[in-house]
Amino acid sequence: MNKFKTLQDLCPAGVIGRMMTVDDFSSSLSEGELDLIRGAHENRIRGFSSARKLAKEALMDLGCPVKELAARPDRTPDWPSQVIGSISHHENSAGVI
């Protein structure tokens, strides 16, 4: 039996880990974030918006609230300078560390 109930259970102190089932959170995206997925398939929009929601919540918990998590030219998230993070999303799940 797995003793870990959440992704957070795997993270050391000072690290935030979250997962969720994807849903459409596009209404919570900024215009800049919407531009990144404009014209994308519904599955991409759901995964992207779910992951961005998790990332913004984690950043708020770390004391780094942001209204927009932009993307760099290589499409990776442009995290605040004091943060190292990772986002992953798939058809059914999204996660952030």
Side-chain angles (χ1 to χ4, degrees):
M1 184 167 145
N2 188 342
K3 67 179 183 173
F4 302 110
K5 295 183 179 174
T6 68
L7 181 57
Q8 186 63 50
D9 293 337
L10 296 169
C11 296
V15 176
I16 305 259
R18 295 215 172 124
M19 288 187 70
M20 71 184 300
T21 301
V22 299
D23 203 346
D24 186 352
F25 294 100
S26 58
S27 63
S28 68
L29 297 175
S30 70
E31 281 301 314
E33 291 166 327
L34 286 169
D35 285 344
L36 298 171
I37 55 169
R38 201 163 312 281
H41 186 273
E42 179 184 342
N43 288 345
R44 167 85 173 127
I45 293 168
R46 291 166 49 94
F48 180 93
S49 64
S50 295
R52 283 302 201 271
K53 176 180 176 9
L54 287 173
K56 289 177 189 178
E57 289 173 357
L59 288 168
M60 183 167 295
D61 287 351
L62 291 169
C64 302
V66 297
K67 292 183 180 182
E68 177 176 282
L69 186 55
R72 295 179 178 167
D74 65 359
R75 297 180 48 194
T76 59
D78 191 11
W79 297 100
S81 61
Q82 67 274 36
V83 174
I84 297 172
S86 180
I87 292 178
S88 181
H89 51 88
H90 188 261
E91 185 176 330
N92 298 316
S93 61
V96 173
I97 294 181

